[in-house]
Structure formats: C-alpha cells, structure tokens
C-alpha cells in the first residue's frame, strides 16, 4: 500500500529554484500495476526516486506499508530499499563478469541471508521471470539484452518486495523483446500479485498497466484506469 | 554484509584487474622489502662493528697520550700527538692489584718491502704482553719475546693482510716465517704470523706488523714515548674502579693536580662500543627512513588505484546502494580491498626482503641481520598504509549519492 500526500520536491541550483514535484497526492493499492507517464522533465524520475526511497521530499508525506519514510536517514532508507523495494533500470545495471545467479543474489548479501537460502530464492526468482536454467551460470555480459533485463527483474523480485519500480525498462530493448519483458511484468502482477510501478514516456508501454498516472511540470494531469 | 561475501567481492575485484593490481602491489612489495633489507644491513653493520671491538680484547682499558679534553669542549687533540706516556708509567700501572697485565704500544705507518712487493702498513712496537692483552693469536712461528725486546732484535710478526699484500693471496703462513722483510730501509726476520681477526676498514687488526717496542723506539721513533698503553683488568666488575685508580696514579706520576688538565685519556671498551653503536644506529635510521619513503610512495599508489576503482565502479556503487547497501557496507568493501592489497604486498615484501638480505650477505659479503622487529614493524606499517590510504577512497565511495551514481556515465 502506497500513499503520497502533497509531495513537493524543490531543487536549488544557485538562485534558481526548480519545483520538480508540485503538490502530488495519490495512492496505489497492493497488487496494482500502475504506469507513471510523462515527457522528459515532467518530474516522473523525481517521483520514482521518492517512491523508491532513494530520495526524500522537500515537504509532504510518503507512506509505504503504513510507515512514513519521508523523513528517514540515509541508512534507514537503505534498509527500506533492501526489504521493501525492487528496482529495474533502463540500462539493466548488472555486475559485469559475474554470473547470472550471483547477480540475482546480490540484494540478499546485504540482508545477510545465508548462502544456501540465497541460491534457493534466486533460483525461484529466475524461474518466475522464465529464464532458462542453462543460462543461470552464464556471465551477465554473455546473454542477450532481453535476458539481461529479465535477470534484472529477477534481482528485483528476490527480496520479495512490497513494490517493484521499473524505470523505462524497455528503453534499451527492441519492440519485440520489450513486449516480452512487459509480458513478464504483467504475468508477475497477475499471477504473483506483485505491486508494480512502471515509469515510461511511451503510451504503448503505459498501456500494459491497469492504470496510468500522467504527470507534467511536476503536477498530476490525469489518473485513470486503462481500458 | 557477511565476511565471506566481503572476501569474495574483494577477490573478484582483484582478479578482474590483474595488471593494475599487480603493479600497485609491487609498489608496496618494494617498499616493505627495502625497509627490511636496509634495516638488516644497518643492524649487520652494527653487529659486525661490535664483534670487531670485542675482538680487540676483553676487560680492556686504553690510555692514550696527550688526548685531554679541554673543559666544556668536545674537540680533542689527535691521539698520541702529545708525548706524555713513558715506560715508568707502564711499570707503575703493573704494580696495581686490579691490573692483570699491561701492554705498551708505539706505532706509525711505514713502508714494508718483501718478496719484491711493497705495502704501507701500521708498524706496532709491542712487548710480549700485547698478544695476551689484545687477543692476538699466532698462527705460525712465535710472537715477540722478552729477550727480543731486551736485545732490540730486528724481528717481525706479520698480520694476514700484510702477507697477502707481499706474498699474494692464499700464501701458506708457514712459508713466510724465516723470510726477510725490509721495513723503512731496515731488514727484519719474520718470526711469526697472526690469525685473522676479520676486521675490516681502517684500523684493521689484520693489516699490521708487530716488532719489539725497544726496536721501534730505537730505529723508528727516536725517543722513549709511547702511543698507547693497553691494560687488561683482572675482573670485569672492577673496570670502573680500576679506571679511576689508573687515572689517579698517572696524574700523580705526571705531577698533575687537576684531572681536567690531564695529558692522557683513558677509554674503556664500553665507551667504544657505545660510540660505534650510536653511529650505526644513526646509519640504520637513515637507511630505514629512505626505505620508508618508498613505502609511503607505495601507499600513495594504493590510494591512486582505489580512487580510480571507485570512479570506474560508480554505477555499480549506485546499484548496490539502490538495492540496500548501506554506506558502511560500501566503505567496508573498499577498505577491505585496499587492506588486502597491502597485506599481500606485505607478505611478498617480507619474503623478498629476507631473500635479498640473504643474497647480500652471501654474494656481496656484507653482514646483514634481519630482525623480527623490522618484519613486524613493516608488516604493521603496511597494514596501516592499507587502512590510511584506503580510507579516503572508501569514504568517497560510501558517500556517493545513489541517484547520481546510477546516472554516471
């Protein structure tokens, strides 16, 4: 359960003041698949950083599973990210020269999960995204782009997060592979009831979600269910 | 983050950049090895000098003529420059209970010709007591006797370095005895040779010719003064009281009331060892400091590499932070990495240092002494360098903002 109340984020560079988020309020229920859409500079990345507990708002409140995370310290935010959030990035951000399995296990290292359990959980995640087992011990730079992104999704799943945040997950992929990745998200949402927030600037991508929040100039312009 | 994960991360970081890691470690290896070798050479020199001094003879007091120190000044006249010690002083000292034996000496440098070769060496006019007091051992033939002293005999005992200079290396000492050598234009018969004491450099006790004191005074010196009186004290524990006793005796003999205007000076072996030790200690510190600088330079190499690594891996650090790594996890990872580099460098450096010290000792003839202290010290210093020079890069990594780090190209 995500609840944002009057989120404001102001960036200051010298005398200039940029209102990246201007009084944004909305909520997302557990198990929803939501797209946040907007052109570049609309504030959608800033919003993603708030939702992902990478940054805190200038004012306003953000509740994640009923806990206010808008005023936490850096280390406390790191703990929130470790336990409740899974990230999928546009450029995958896998560790190079490292096996697929180890990449997926990476978040569990910081959670001090014992080695054996890590492998079991990473295996489950990889099965959930449908990556063939014969690829698990490949190095991350020896697989295709679509497979890389699915490995990244498996990594986002492995800590059983309350929220999966995907930032332009299809931006570096061709249309067909992109659709396959989006299919994976939809499947995870429908079958495993994961809460997914997808950030994108493309309407076709946003259409895969159940609901689209459109923002521009830091304000919500529209918030509607996709038909 | 569990320790085993930190170790694994460090391992993969190190093997993923073998050349750079190797070169960086090399800096530490050279630093550590040179500290160990330099300190070993310094300690070796100290040990050798101390051994040389011990070989002069134990329980030894040496009285030199005319070397008084003016009050408040450290400037001394050249030893033996004043003519003040005479045979009656020797006899007076012999009368003391604490004295075991007394060996007077007069010496100078003269040319020695023998077997068609010539060498310039120290000619020591001595009595038979000298061999006992100064631990001079005869290898072949005999030492100067009392009769030869009384008869002003023209006989000589040659040190091994002199034999080598005149008769060539590896000459059997037995062949030399009975030969004639010409010293300052006077023929002498060789009656004996001495065992090598292994002294090196100036004042070597091997590069010497002994002749009777009376002969020396008659034909070389032309007067009755002595350069030095060597005194063997009966009991080691009585060294200090004997020194005072002899000083008072000589002051009385020479009719001097004030000890500060004495026309002689007394040295004991402890003073000599102390002086030589302080010289070699300074040498060790100097060598160690020079080597220490290279260790610091090696440490800067580590810091440089770690900063490069942090910059290169900015996105990775951003990712790790995004998926839940805390600042402490990140800094521990980089600190562990730099400490591992210096740890490996330390071990390899110690091995190399010990090997080089051994090579120096066995192939270059310089005594070295690798001390456990220098090993422990350099190991400690290398670990410290890893932490000190790794701290700044690690801190920089841990302070990276995950949002900016993820965007870093």
């Amino acid at each position: 359960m995500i609840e944002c109340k009057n989120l404001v984020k102001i960036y200051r560079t010298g005398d200039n003041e940029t209102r990246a988020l201007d009084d944004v309020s909305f909520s997302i229920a557990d198990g929803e698949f939501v797209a946040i859409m907007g052109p570049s500079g609309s504030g959608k990345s800033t919003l993603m950083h708030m939702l992902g507990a990478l940054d805190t708002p200038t004012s306003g409140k953000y509740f994640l599973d009923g806990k206010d995370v808008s005023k936490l310290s850096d280390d406390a935010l790191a703990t929130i990210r470790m336990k409740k959030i899974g990230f999928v990035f546009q450029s995958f951000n896998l560790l190079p020269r490292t096996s697929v399995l180890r990449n997926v296990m990476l978040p569990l290292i910081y959670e001090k999960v014992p080695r054996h359990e890590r492998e079991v959980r990473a295996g489950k995640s990889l099965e959930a995204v449908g990556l063939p087992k014969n690829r698990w011990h490949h190095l991350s730079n020896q697989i295709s782009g679509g497979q890389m992104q699915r490995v990244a999704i498996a990594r986002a799943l492995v800590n059983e997060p309350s929220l999966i945040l995907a930032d332009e997950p299809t931006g570096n992929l061709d249309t067909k592979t992109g659709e396959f990745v989006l299919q994976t998200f939809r499947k995870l949402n429908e079958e495993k009831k994961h809460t997914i927030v997808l950030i994108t600037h493309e309407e076709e991508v946003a259409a895969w979600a159940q609901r689209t929040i459109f923002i521009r100039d830091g304000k919500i312009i529209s918030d509607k269910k996709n038909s | 983050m569990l320790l085993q994960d930190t170790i694994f991360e460090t391992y993969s970081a190190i093997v993923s950049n073998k050349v750079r890691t190797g070169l960086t470690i090399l800096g530490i290896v050279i630093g550590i090895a040179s500290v160990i070798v330099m300190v070993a050479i310094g300690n070796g020199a100290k040990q050798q000098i101390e051994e040389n001094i011990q070989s002069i003879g134990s329980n030894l007091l040496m009285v030199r003529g005319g070397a008084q120190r003016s009050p408040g000044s450290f400037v001394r006249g050249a030893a033996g420059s004043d003519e003040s010690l005479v045979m009656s002083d020797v006899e007076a000292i012999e009368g003391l209970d604490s004295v075991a034996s007394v060996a007077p000496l007069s010496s100078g440098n003269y040319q020695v010709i023998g077997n068609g070769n010539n060498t310039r060496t120290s000619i020591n006019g001595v009595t038979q007591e000298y061999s006992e007091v100064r631990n001079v051992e005869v290898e072949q033939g005999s030492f100067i006797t009392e009769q030869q002293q009384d008869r002003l005999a023209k006989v000589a005992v040659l040190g091994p370095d002199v034999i080598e200079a005149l008769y060539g290396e590896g000459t059997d000492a037995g062949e030399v005895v009975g030969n004639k050598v010409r010293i300052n234009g006077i023929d002498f018969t060789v009656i004996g040779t001495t065992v090598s004491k292994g002294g090196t450099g100036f004042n070597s006790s091997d590069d010497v010719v002994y002749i009777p004191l009376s002969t020396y005074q008659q034909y070389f010196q032309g007067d009755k003064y002595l350069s030095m009186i060597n005194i063997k004290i009966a009991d080691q524990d009585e060294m200090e009281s004997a020194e005072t006793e002899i000083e008072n005796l000589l002051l009385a003999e020479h009719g001097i009331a004030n000890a500060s205007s004495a026309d002689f000076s007394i040295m004991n072996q402890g003073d000599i060892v102390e002086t030589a030790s302080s010289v070699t200690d300074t040498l060790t510190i100097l060598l160690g400091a020079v080597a220490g600088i290279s260790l610091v330079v090696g440490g800067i190499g580590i810091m440089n590499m770690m900063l490069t690594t942090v910059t290169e891996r900015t996105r990775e650090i951003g990712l790790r932070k995004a998926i839940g790594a805390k600042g402490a996890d990140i800094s521990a990872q980089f600190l562990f990495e730099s400490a591992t580099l210096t740890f490996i460098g330390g071990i390899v450096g110690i091995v190399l240092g010990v090997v080089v010290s051994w090579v120096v000792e066995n192939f270059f003839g310089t005594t070295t002494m690798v001390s456990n202290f220098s090993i422990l010290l350099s190991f400690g210093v290398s670990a410290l360098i890893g932490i000190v020079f790794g701290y700044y890069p690690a801190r920089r990594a841990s302070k990276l903002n995950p949002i900016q780090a993820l965007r870093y190209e």
Side-chain angles (χ1 to χ4, degrees):
Chain A
M1 173 74 180
I2 288 171
E3 209 177 348
C4 295
K5 283 187 178 164
N6 312 101
L7 286 184
V8 174
K9 183 69 183 180
I10 298 169
Y11 291 111
R12 283 196 180 84
T13 40
D15 289 339
N16 286 334
E17 213 175 67
T18 316
R19 280 179 105 79
L21 285 182
D22 193 358
D23 200 19
V24 170
S25 301
F26 63 91
S27 61
I28 296 171
D30 285 342
E32 260 194 290
F33 184 5
V34 181
I36 294 177
M37 208 188 127
S40 63
S42 59
K44 65 182 191 303
S45 289
T46 307
L47 184 56
M48 187 208 80
H49 295 148
M50 302 290 146
L51 296 180
L54 285 165
D55 206 351
T56 51
T58 311
S59 70
K61 286 198 183 308
Y62 168 36
F63 295 94
L64 179 58
D65 290 343
K67 189 177 154 82
D68 184 6
V69 295
S70 49
K71 296 274 181 283
L72 294 178
S73 68
D74 284 354
D75 276 359
L77 286 175
T79 309
I80 296 285
R81 293 197 294 270
M82 177 173 80
K83 296 206 162 130
K84 294 192 179 291
I85 295 170
F87 285 98
V88 178
F89 302 96
Q90 180 176 353
S91 50
F92 322 139
N93 282 326
L94 300 179
L95 297 187
R97 295 181 299 272
T98 308
S99 77
V100 162
L101 198 62
R102 205 172 160 81
N103 263 292
V104 176
M105 291 192 297
L106 193 65
L108 302 179
I109 285 177
Y110 297 108
E111 230 179 322
K112 297 193 171 96
V113 175
R115 192 172 180 85
H116 176 71
E117 193 190 328
R118 259 185 241 168
E119 279 180 23
V120 172
R121 282 168 66 174
K124 272 189 195 157
S125 290
L126 283 166
E127 277 165 8
V129 298
L131 193 83
K133 217 167 181 168
N134 61 8
R135 292 281 185 279
W136 292 10
H137 292 280
H138 278 51
L139 298 185
S140 63
N141 41 345
Q142 290 172 337
I143 55 177
S144 71
Q147 286 170 336
M148 281 186 184
Q149 196 57 302
R150 277 187 286 153
V151 172
I153 297 169
R155 181 180 63 195
L157 289 177
V158 79
N159 58 342
E160 290 152 10
S162 311
L163 169 65
I164 295 172
L165 272 173
D167 185 12
E168 303 275 9
T170 58
N172 279 8
L173 302 171
D174 60 66
T175 319
K176 206 176 151 218
T177 329
E179 273 183 17
F180 192 72
V181 166
L182 290 166
Q183 195 87 56
T184 311
F185 278 120
R186 179 174 275 177
K187 221 174 106 192
L188 287 171
N189 172 252
E190 284 173 357
E191 289 173 13
K192 315 256 177 184
K193 302 294 169 213
H194 281 289
T195 312
I196 297 168
V197 173
L198 184 69
I199 288 96
T200 182
H201 65 278
E202 291 174 272
E203 232 165 306
E204 309 88 84
V205 174
W208 284 80
Q210 301 158 344
R211 170 184 163 198
T212 305
I213 299 174
F214 193 90
I215 73 170
R216 171 175 282 164
D217 298 332
K219 291 189 171 76
I220 295 181
I221 304 293
S222 70
D223 183 348
K224 58 174 191 292
K225 288 249 185 287
N226 290 342
S227 46
Chain B
M1 205 165 171
L2 300 169
L3 181 63
Q4 65 189 59
D5 293 314
T6 312
I7 292 169
F8 187 86
E9 296 287 346
T10 301
Y11 167 77
S12 31
I14 286 174
V15 294
S16 71
N17 234 318
K18 290 189 196 73
V19 175
R20 189 165 71 196
T21 310
L23 287 173
T24 310
I25 290 177
L26 191 63
I28 293 293
V29 168
I30 290 171
I32 295 282
S34 50
V35 166
I36 289 180
V37 173
M38 293 301 174
V39 172
I41 288 175
N43 282 340
K46 180 176 175 167
Q47 193 192 28
Q48 197 168 32
I49 287 171
E50 280 171 6
E51 271 172 17
N52 284 353
I53 292 165
Q54 294 296 339
S55 77
I56 293 169
S58 52
N59 301 0
L60 188 66
L61 285 180
M62 284 176 276
V63 185
R64 285 176 187 274
Q68 78 272 32
R69 241 174 255 203
S70 49
S73 162
F74 291 100
V75 181
R76 296 160 51 137
S81 62
D82 264 19
E83 294 159 341
S84 59
L85 298 172
V86 289
M87 278 310 275
S88 64
D89 293 333
V90 175
E91 281 150 24
I93 293 167
E94 269 171 346
L96 295 172
D97 287 342
S98 56
V99 171
S101 57
V102 184
L105 166 83
S106 273
S107 69
N109 283 316
Y110 295 93
Q111 192 166 50
V112 181
I113 303 169
N115 194 30
N117 296 315
N118 75 83
T119 179
R120 200 175 165 80
T121 185
S122 169
I123 308 300
N124 287 2
V126 297
T127 58
Q128 66 168 358
E129 286 85 6
Y130 191 84
S131 73
E132 182 206 341
V133 174
R134 295 294 294 256
N135 287 351
V136 177
E137 283 178 58
V138 171
E139 190 175 8
Q140 291 286 333
S142 59
F143 201 70
I144 311 291
T145 63
E146 210 174 331
Q147 290 87 337
Q148 285 159 344
Q149 160 76 4
D150 291 343
R151 290 192 281 114
L152 277 68
K154 288 173 190 153
V155 293
V157 176
L158 305 187
D161 286 4
V162 176
I163 296 172
E164 195 182 311
L166 296 180
Y167 296 92
E169 209 171 329
T171 307
D172 180 22
E175 294 170 19
V176 179
V177 176
N179 282 5
K180 295 263 185 212
V181 291
R182 185 173 267 263
I183 305 171
N184 202 26
I186 303 163
D187 280 331
F188 282 79
T189 307
V190 178
I191 55 161
T193 63
T194 65
V195 174
S196 172
K197 287 181 148 195
T200 51
F202 68 97
N203 254 341
S204 162
S205 47
D206 290 344
D207 189 9
V208 72
V209 173
Y210 299 104
I211 62 172
L213 177 63
S214 54
T215 315
Y216 185 85
Q217 286 175 329
Q218 179 74 26
Y219 295 103
F220 292 78
Q221 190 172 296
D223 61 39
K224 296 287 175 194
Y225 291 107
L226 300 169
S227 310
M228 191 160 102
I229 303 174
N230 297 288
I231 304 154
K232 189 172 181 177
I233 304 302
D235 187 348
Q236 178 95 46
D237 299 335
E238 285 175 23
M239 288 290 277
E240 275 184 35
S241 62
E243 192 174 335
T244 321
E245 208 178 355
I246 291 164
E247 187 179 6
N248 292 335
L249 177 75
L250 288 178
L251 287 172
E253 287 279 318
H254 294 190
I256 298 165
N258 188 348
S260 65
S261 55
D263 57 358
F264 59 88
S265 67
I266 303 178
M267 280 194 297
N268 71 44
Q269 219 162 345
D271 296 341
I272 304 171
V273 172
E274 220 167 85
T275 310
S277 294
S278 77
V279 171
T280 51
D281 280 348
T282 309
L283 180 82
T284 307
I285 290 169
L286 184 76
L287 290 173
V290 171
I293 290 169
S294 70
L295 193 54
V296 172
V297 173
I300 293 169
I302 293 269
M303 177 136 93
N304 192 12
M305 171 180 162
M306 292 310 296
L307 284 174
T308 313
T309 308
V310 168
T311 309
E312 271 180 2
R313 289 162 66 185
T314 300
R315 280 177 74 96
E316 181 194 318
I317 294 163
L319 169 81
R320 286 173 186 273
K321 288 194 123 182
I323 62 175
K326 294 184 177 68
D329 292 321
I330 301 292
S331 69
Q333 187 187 331
F334 283 94
L335 214 49
F336 197 84
E337 192 172 323
S338 67
T340 306
L341 293 181
T342 52
F343 182 80
I344 296 169
I347 300 239
V348 177
I350 285 168
V351 172
L352 185 70
V354 171
V355 168
V356 170
S357 300
W358 184 86
V359 168
V360 165
E361 170 135 16
N362 287 278
F363 292 95
F364 296 93
T366 304
T367 310
T368 59
M369 208 172 80
V370 178
S371 63
N372 292 337
F373 174 73
S374 72
I375 290 178
L376 281 178
L377 182 75
S378 44
F379 201 70
V381 166
S382 75
L384 196 69
I385 279 176
I387 291 165
V388 168
F389 287 94
Y391 178 76
Y392 173 67
R395 195 180 147 81
R396 216 159 103 155
S398 73
K399 294 276 174 217
L400 280 176
N401 177 321
I403 299 169
Q404 278 155 17
L406 278 166
R407 282 201 197 123
Y408 184 85
E409 292 299 333

